[in-house]
Amino acid sequence: MAEPRNRYSTVSLILHWLIAALVVTQLMLIALYLATEGQPSAREYLQLHKSTGLSILVLTLVRLGWRLANPAIALPSEMPRWQRLLARTSHVLFYILLIGLPLGGWAASSAAGRPIPWFGLFNWPLLPLPQDRELAGAIMEAHELAGLLMIALVVLHIVGALKHQFVDRDNVLHRMIPWIPRRP
């Protein structure tokens, strides 16, 4: 009988941490945009935010495909059922937001008729939506609310990981950060 895996694959780790870094970058870019609103640099921050968001979309779709081909590691058997349910629910919410937020931003830009230059290399194609400022505004409001949910989910995720490492001491964090020594 094969021994169960105790950490994620290198591909899973790279995709997880790359997407995590890009999500943090998104938060910094939107903070910079808001801090410089009305100045020429604000537009650059917003364009970088859009390009990064679309990159997150593509990487998340790759990660989802990888995840379907390489199922998640089982959670510790001693973990209470409610924690397992919370963990799985939060991961599903992450996928929904990591796909939905970029799609929402893309849809808002499309409805506003604003081009999306992807890191200045080419214009990302706009979605075939009617150009309607009210529609763009409504989509952007939903996008902003979903962004706040993403922040809350990231905080919950980090708190949960730290709880597993320092309170439960159950090697859950070792699965995503392999250089943390595995506890016996």
Side-chain angles (χ1 to χ4, degrees):
M1 179 186 275
E3 187 177 316
R5 294 179 300 151
N6 63 16
R7 76 171 193 89
Y8 283 98
S9 70
T10 302
V11 171
S12 294
L13 293 174
I14 289 169
L15 288 170
H16 174 273
W17 290 109
L18 181 56
I19 292 169
L22 290 175
V23 167
V24 170
T25 300
Q26 286 295 76
L27 298 173
M28 291 188 306
L29 286 169
I30 208 63
L32 288 167
Y33 167 75
L34 293 171
T36 59
E37 207 165 8
Q39 299 173 24
S41 59
R43 185 170 202 74
E44 292 174 35
Y45 293 131
L46 188 59
Q47 291 303 336
L48 285 171
H49 178 79
K50 291 177 182 184
S51 296
T52 303
L54 290 168
S55 300
I56 289 172
L57 175 62
V58 170
L59 289 169
T60 299
L61 293 174
V62 169
R63 183 172 183 207
L64 187 57
W66 182 261
R67 174 78 179 265
L68 292 172
N70 300 275
I73 300 169
L75 294 169
S77 58
E78 60 275 359
M79 184 183 290
R81 188 173 189 278
W82 70 268
Q83 285 184 17
R84 279 188 265 190
L85 182 62
L86 183 60
R88 294 295 182 222
T89 301
S90 68
H91 281 96
V92 168
L93 284 174
F94 266 124
Y95 280 112
I96 290 169
L97 290 172
L98 289 168
I99 293 169
L101 273 164
L103 285 177
W106 185 8
S109 287
S110 297
R114 294 192 183 121
I116 307 171
W118 190 76
F119 296 111
L121 298 175
F122 61 89
N123 278 342
W124 194 270
L126 297 180
L127 295 170
L129 294 174
Q131 290 196 5
D132 179 336
R133 291 182 69 136
E134 286 185 29
L135 175 61
I139 295 169
M140 188 49 60
E141 282 183 33
H143 180 76
E144 290 168 2
L145 286 173
L148 294 174
L149 179 58
M150 174 63 87
I151 292 168
L153 197 54
V154 166
V155 169
L156 176 68
H157 191 65
I158 291 168
V159 168
L162 294 173
K163 176 196 170 291
H164 282 287
Q165 180 66 20
F166 298 110
V167 177
D168 299 341
R169 304 174 64 85
D170 60 8
N171 290 312
V172 167
L173 196 58
H174 167 79
R175 297 157 21 133
M176 284 309 254
I177 307 176
W179 59 84
I180 290 178
R182 183 167 169 75
R183 292 190 169 101

